[in-house]
Amino acid sequence: MVFRLLGLAAFMALSVSAQTQGLAKAPQADFPALDAYFNTQLAKKQSPSISVAVVKNGKLVYAKGFGYADLENDVLAAPNSVYRIGSITKQFTATMIMQLEHEGKLKLDQGIRTLLPETPTAWDKVTVRELLNHTSGIKSYTEVKGLFDDQAMKPTTPAGILKTVEKDPLDFPPGSNWHYDNTGYEILGMVVEKLDGQPFSQSLRKRIFVPLGMTSTFFTSESTVVKHRAQGYSPDSGGFSHAHYLNMDWPYAAGSIESTTLDLAKWDAALYGNKILPQSSLKMMWTRTVLVDGIKKDYGFGWQLDRLNRIEIVQHGGGIHGFTTHIRRAPALGLTLIVLTNSDTNNPEQMTADAMGIVDSRLKVAPPTAILDTNPSATEADRNTLKSILLGKLDRTKLTPEFNKLLTPELEQGAKAQLSAMGPIKRFDLQADETKAGVRTRTYLVTLGSIVLKMQIAVNAKGLIAGLDLHP
């Protein structure tokens, strides 16, 4: 089950003016259609600010900030505004693991306990590869009951993070299923520290930030003074409030980086060369995961993999208290869109997709079309399932045992908070209906307030919900 995090705003934009050392810059493009699009997004008041960059063939062609990076001090957003990027961090962690693999210091199919023998014996069959592609079966610590109510506001260590889940059984045998897992990337961070013999933050600087001239990218520490740092917010009835506090020890190697659109543009440019990794290693990171039963999943190592109009899309989003972010790449066309926002209920994934279509019509997402609904009672049941999630009243007797285990109360609670903040259900249109191996999967285009999401719900032959995916 996937839920991705999707205000008071000024229709102002600051053009690129920050340092772009290490990144070739083309003449600043006008892109009036992009200006109009992001001003329209800002008007929805889902975030105080939006910071945007467009990179074409390694050259920065558009970089602007819209709205306010800091509401209290009336600080306008700009291309050099520093945002927490959440799970975009994972591609940096995965890259360092691949660097270590290239250096011969580890193997992808090596058991994790051969590198970290202090980890639980139950993880004995988990490999580095399975941590990278979310198929380890290890419970994600972000699903631990009550963690964000108290524990995550206090300092911790990587070992402390693992203690929250080390006694839990595996959700499934390693390699047999896919489930997004933040714990896996915390473990990978510990591997980097062990093999490099230094703190994870120092490895980031030495291996990536310094070589690429990413001078405004940091492993977040609240004690560090960071110029142009954006503040994180959550919408409320009066506009925005400060986001719920999170001690940044907890996201660690799964989500603790903060950066700018300009620095992420440098990162994107480096992915076309061999400075950080050989292209052969990067290709492995962008290869779809294959489960033991042969089923493919659209995820590589720290990157989500998609296809649009026969063009490969490599992307990833980030959601962390007060911030939502997304980077979307079309490598074959040399085009990248980066969107950073300082609200935890925004939808930057949709923005990068829409904006990429504005820049290059070949990447325009076709408007969804509804199909004839021959089973309106099933549609009504699925709508009621979504409604129960919004109300926090999901009937778990309607879930398969396997899905009931994966959908923890913490995930359900987080989904309720995120989705209900978007607004009521305004549209619920059927887009696809197919049955395979006795499981019926129906896809809907759902409008919550002004936010449009895609919902897929799988129901088995006994009428039990076997899976539910909700995303931009």
Side-chain angles (χ1 to χ4, degrees), residues 14-31:
L14 297 184
S15 298
V16 57
S17 59
Q19 293 181 350
T20 55
Q21 179 182 358
L23 177 70
K25 188 175 70 172
Q28 181 71 5
D30 185 20
F31 288 121

Side-chain angles (χ1 to χ4, degrees), residues 11 45 56 96 113 153 156 163 179 210 236 253 256 264 283 287 304 343 352 378 381 393 436 441 459:
F11 294 91
K45 299 184 178 180
K56 180 66 174 174
M96 291 196 294
R113 294 193 71 245
M153 292 187 278
T156 190
K163 284 183 180 179
H179 185 65
V210 172
D236 63 20
S256 276
L264 290 175
K283 185 177 180 180
T287 299
Q304 178 187 342
S343 166
T352 57
K393 297 180 179 180
K436 289 183 179 179
T441 302
V459 178

Side-chain angles (χ1 to χ4, degrees), residues 436-457:
K436 289 183 179 179
V439 177
R440 185 171 188 171
T441 302
R442 290 165 67 87
T443 303
Y444 300 92
L445 196 67
V446 180
T447 303
L448 298 179
S450 62
I451 303 296
V452 179
L453 303 172
K454 181 178 285 187
M455 172 176 162
Q456 290 180 304
I457 183 167

Side-chain angles (χ1 to χ4, degrees), residues 132-424:
L132 285 166
N133 62 22
H134 301 293
T135 63
S136 71
I138 296 173
K139 180 176 180 177
S140 181
Y141 77 95
T142 51
E143 298 171 13
V144 172
K145 185 177 181 180
L147 181 89
F148 292 104
D149 295 333
D150 177 52
Q151 198 171 353
M153 292 187 278
K154 301 173 183 177
T156 190
T157 62
I161 296 170
L162 296 198
K163 284 183 180 179
T164 64
V165 299
E166 62 185 7
K167 293 182 180 179
D168 288 276
L170 295 179
D171 288 336
F172 47 81
S176 68
N177 207 339
W178 188 95
H179 185 65
Y180 194 81
D181 179 20
N182 286 295
T183 303
Y185 273 78
E186 308 292 37
I187 299 169
L188 292 171
M190 295 173 68
V191 170
V192 173
E193 289 198 359
K194 176 81 171 284
L195 297 183
D196 268 357
Q198 62 186 359
F200 183 78
S201 59
Q202 291 184 23
S203 290
L204 278 171
R205 282 187 50 78
K206 181 179 179 180
R207 289 180 171 274
I208 299 176
F209 299 165
V210 172
L212 298 187
M214 297 174 68
T215 56
S216 294
T217 302
F218 310 93
F219 190 69
T220 306
S221 168
E222 282 134 349
S223 63
T224 303
V225 176
V226 174
K227 290 185 177 181
H228 311 298
R229 179 183 269 165
Q231 300 301 308
Y233 300 94
S234 299
D236 63 20
S237 58
F240 291 95
S241 59
H242 286 291
H244 190 65
Y245 177 72
L246 171 68
N247 187 292
M248 292 302 288
D249 288 346
W250 287 89
Y252 182 52
S256 276
I257 291 178
E258 56 187 342
S259 188
T260 68
T261 54
L262 297 179
D263 270 9
L264 290 175
K266 297 175 185 178
W267 164 245
D268 170 73
L271 296 177
Y272 290 102
N274 297 296
K275 188 171 185 178
I276 294 300
L277 266 179
Q279 284 295 307
S280 57
S281 294
L282 288 167
K283 185 177 180 180
M284 291 175 65
M285 293 178 66
W286 301 328
T287 299
R288 284 167 172 76
T289 293
V290 181
L291 302 180
V292 291
D293 59 5
I295 294 176
K296 290 185 178 182
K297 294 294 181 178
D298 291 334
Y299 199 95
F301 299 164
W303 289 95
Q304 178 187 342
L305 308 172
D306 291 288
R307 179 179 284 269
L308 175 64
N309 303 332
R310 299 184 180 181
I311 299 170
E312 289 291 334
I313 301 295
V314 179
Q315 62 182 339
H316 210 284
I320 196 166
H321 296 45
F323 299 87
T324 46
T325 59
H326 203 81
I327 178 171
R328 181 180 178 92
R329 309 179 70 241
L333 304 182
L335 180 62
T336 297
L337 260 293
I338 302 161
V339 171
L340 310 180
T341 79
N342 58 338
S343 166
D344 47 25
T345 57
N346 213 344
N347 190 354
E349 181 175 352
Q350 186 65 54
M351 293 184 208
T352 57
D354 290 344
M356 187 170 271
I358 292 172
V359 176
D360 191 323
S361 61
R362 291 172 292 180
L363 294 168
K364 186 167 183 163
V365 179
T369 56
I371 65 171
L372 178 64
D373 192 349
T374 59
N375 193 345
S377 61
T379 299
E380 185 61 23
D382 294 342
R383 183 186 180 111
N384 286 335
T385 295
L386 177 58
K387 189 180 297 182
S388 70
I389 293 171
L390 294 174
L391 296 173
K393 297 180 179 180
L394 180 65
D395 183 356
R396 288 182 168 268
T397 65
K398 295 182 178 180
L399 312 182
T400 64
E402 296 80 10
F403 186 46
N404 187 56
K405 182 180 179 181
L406 287 176
L407 177 58
T408 64
E410 291 68 43
L411 269 180
E412 183 186 349
Q413 183 181 5
K416 175 186 179 298
Q418 295 171 20
L419 296 173
S420 60
M422 298 176 194

Side-chain angles (χ1 to χ4, degrees), residues 106-150:
L106 61 78
K107 296 181 180 179
L108 295 181
D109 294 315
Q110 183 173 356
I112 191 60
R113 294 193 71 245
T114 65
L115 296 164
L116 299 172
E118 67 271 25
T119 54
T121 56
W123 301 355
D124 192 55
K125 294 183 179 180
V126 174
T127 65
V128 173
R129 183 188 303 274
E130 290 159 348
L131 296 176
L132 285 166
N133 62 22
H134 301 293
T135 63
S136 71
I138 296 173
K139 180 176 180 177
S140 181
Y141 77 95
T142 51
E143 298 171 13
V144 172
K145 185 177 181 180
L147 181 89
F148 292 104
D149 295 333
D150 177 52

